[in-house]
Amino acid sequence: MSAATHLAPASQPVVTRTSWTAKLAWTALALNEAVVLWGAYVRESQSGAGCGSHWPLCQGVVVPHGALWHTIVEFTHRASSGVAVITVAALAIAVFVTTPRRNLARWAAGFAAFFMFNEALLGALLVLLRKVAMDQSVGRAVYLCAHSANTLLLLGAIAATAYWLTWPAEAAWSRYRGSRWLAPVLALLFTLIAAATGAIAALGDTLFPATSLHQAWAQDFAANAHYALRLRILHPLSATVLAVYVLWMLLRHATQNDPSTRRLALITFGLLILQYALGIADIFLLAPLWLQICHLLGADLFWVALVLLIARSQPQFLEARTA
């Protein structure tokens, strides 16, 4: 479609043509999500050492020939990550060239470029420090937690960029001045914590796969249990705290008059429920690879929906208080 309907109350319809920069932003979001999911496959298939300890080269060459499956998986991830880096860099340049000063899309694109740099750096360090494959060190868990949180921040920054480019009337900083930010910031923070603990849980599932639910339970509470197994319980606990808080916040949005905001709040709620269903299935089915990737996809979609909901609703809270 060549036009996008502005998320405004039905009584004040606003239609604006979707710019090429907005299309580039949505494309960058989809591309980075694909890279994230493939990265999860790299970890779960233990292909992180497929290119050896070389970076950015793979097995010491630009393109490996006659490579084994693990090498192909890791090389494909690196190649797609390179395309993602170029796309985000191009997006940041395009936004700064085509938008005015104090436009929120500029800030979001700048943060996207920063988090993209961090993403590449963390990925490189995981390889160079050999925190891949069957490495069981505490350092690997720290890097994975940082990597997981940075990935969400990257996706959120790109999503915010896409939102403010698609609906430029929303991108003025003055519209957000005076809004209450504590509640949304806490929601984002709780989500990041849940994602970090999820990375530790996924590491435990990868390093110590169980053949039965009873064995998985015994692993967690064994006297000599690995730290990744002992800390695995933190993920459902943090996810529960997140769910309670986000549900409270969504109820606030559900009372607004704008149908678009209510619809977005409903989508966010649905993704939250879906995450819980996938998490429960992940436990009872002993975390198969396909389900872990679906769980990660659901988490990323929930995060993006939450970011868009916050970007959409904050000016409305301000306008409702000043009306």
Side-chain angles (χ1 to χ4, degrees), residues 280-302:
I280 294 173
D282 201 41
I283 293 174
F284 282 95
L285 296 179
L286 303 176
L289 173 59
W290 66 270
L291 188 53
Q292 290 193 51
I293 292 178
C294 289
H295 196 30
L296 176 61
L297 174 60
D300 292 343
L301 291 177
F302 167 74

Side-chain angles (χ1 to χ4, degrees), residues 203-225:
L203 178 61
D205 294 335
T206 301
L207 295 177
F208 307 99
T211 58
S212 68
L213 191 61
H214 179 269
Q215 182 188 13
W217 184 266
Q219 283 179 329
D220 290 356
F221 295 97
N224 60 342

Side-chain angles (χ1 to χ4, degrees), residues 160-173:
T161 304
Y163 173 80
W164 283 316
L165 288 174
T166 304
W167 294 284
E170 300 281 340
W173 170 248

Side-chain angles (χ1 to χ4, degrees), residues 41-50 70 133-134 206-207 209:
Y41 179 76
V42 171
R43 183 189 68 246
E44 300 301 331
S45 64
Q46 301 177 9
S47 302
H70 286 331
M134 296 304 293
T206 301
L207 295 177

Side-chain angles (χ1 to χ4, degrees), residues 179-197:
S179 293
R180 297 175 181 174
W181 289 100
L182 179 58
V185 167
L186 285 177
L188 297 176
L189 178 60
F190 289 154
T191 307
L192 291 175
I193 293 174
T197 56

